[in-house]
Amino acid sequence: KAGVTQTPRYLIKTRGQQVTLSCSPISGHRSVSWYQQTPGQGLQFLFEYFSETQRNKGNFPGRFSGRQFSNSRSEMNVSTLELGDSALYLCASTSSLGQGNHYGYTFGSGTRLTVV
Amino acid sequence: DAKTTQPPSMDCAEGRAANLPCNHSTISGNEYVYWYRQIHSQGPQYIIHGLKNNETNEMASLIITEDRKSSTLILPHATLRDTAVYYCIVRVNGTASKLTFGTGTRLQVTL
């Protein structure tokens, strides 16, 4: 089956602009998480959605937001972009949040965002 | 989530077993040990996880000490394609529990 699909793969934006990234989870997966990866901070958790509800949130400013649709696809939005937002943004999906989740998260290849 | 400590880098000859250690001395009774790896420019890839028993799958083996304060990921016959950063993570299974990535171990497999 198809893996986690993230679009676009690469993006260049200017400071002050906003950006929307998209993630399509594996078919049947209802949980989608987002991570930011930078050389300085490594992989950091942004937020997790399950059944269209945000279930967990990392320590990022309110400029970072997300949502999940009824088909489990998710988008994240970053407003008022700063140079420091340049990063690889990764999306991961898993089948559930409950005790049946024993197979870990499947990650997409990410969207590389460059802010200039 | 409990923290983990891993060596920053390791080398392994191709064909040999790669043994990657991880310390998680503050692990709680309901936390699992997960291993992921990230090959350059790709998203992390799930390898294996366990609670207290040793686990094996087609990719690797996971050995967890009896006191659960440390574990070792074993790649039995490392290949050049196993060159990656390996992350050891402890996490409560289920619930809305995020993955907390540390700095990982950069494994370099050489000819």
Side-chain angles (χ1 to χ4, degrees):
Chain A
K1 53 185 174 181
V4 177
T5 303
Q6 292 188 245
T7 56
R9 283 299 311 275
Y10 302 93
L11 205 49
I12 299 175
K13 289 287 188 178
T14 305
R15 274 181 300 175
Q17 287 186 312
Q18 73 164 12
V19 67
T20 299
L21 311 180
S22 178
C23 173
S24 293
I26 288 175
S27 178
H29 283 191
R30 297 169 61 192
S31 167
V32 174
S33 303
W34 289 88
Y35 290 79
Q36 181 197 64
Q37 185 171 29
T38 61
Q41 299 297 319
L43 274 156
Q44 292 187 290
F45 172 78
L46 280 156
F47 26 67
E48 180 168 22
Y49 287 86
F50 181 79
S51 293
E52 302 178 64
T53 301
Q54 187 179 92
R55 299 303 181 104
N56 203 353
K57 189 176 189 304
N59 189 25
F60 278 81
R63 300 185 296 108
F64 292 81
S65 63
R67 60 177 174 168
Q68 186 180 35
F69 302 96
S70 59
N71 62 358
S72 295
R73 190 177 71 85
S74 177
E75 289 181 346
M76 68 162 282
N77 184 276
V78 187
S79 62
T80 318
L81 284 166
E82 302 176 359
L83 295 179
D85 298 331
S86 295
L88 179 66
Y89 290 88
L90 292 157
C91 164
S93 74
T94 191
S95 57
S96 70
L97 289 176
Q99 290 302 311
N101 175 14
H102 286 285
Y103 300 101
Y105 287 82
T106 302
F107 282 80
S109 296
T111 294
R112 184 163 297 281
L113 171 66
T114 302
V115 182
V116 296
Chain B
D1 294 330
K3 288 187 176 179
T4 62
T5 304
Q6 300 177 252
S9 64
M10 293 182 65
D11 292 331
C12 179
E14 190 176 34
R16 298 282 195 169
N19 298 291
L20 292 90
C22 179
N23 285 319
H24 31 79
S25 58
T26 59
I27 192 170
S28 301
N30 62 346
E31 286 181 314
Y32 285 70
V33 179
Y34 279 80
W35 283 83
Y36 282 77
R37 73 180 182 183
Q38 187 175 23
I39 296 170
H40 184 61
S41 296
Q42 298 181 22
Q45 176 190 22
Y46 165 81
I47 301 172
I48 198 168
H49 77 282
L51 183 62
K52 51 186 175 182
N53 297 320
N54 297 339
E55 303 287 345
T56 296
N57 63 20
E58 64 278 4
M59 289 182 69
S61 295
L62 174 60
I63 308 298
I64 302 174
T65 58
E66 195 168 336
D67 63 8
R68 303 210 323 123
K69 292 185 177 182
S70 65
S71 61
T72 301
L73 177 75
I74 301 172
L75 307 178
H77 305 287
T79 70
L80 296 177
R81 286 180 293 181
D82 292 321
T83 293
V85 178
Y86 287 77
Y87 296 98
C88 168
I89 298 163
V90 292
R91 170 183 177 265
V92 175
N93 211 15
T95 73
S97 177
K98 62 183 184 290
L99 296 172
T100 301
F101 289 87
T103 52
T105 295
R106 183 172 298 277
L107 175 68
Q108 180 69 52
V109 181
T110 57
L111 290 171

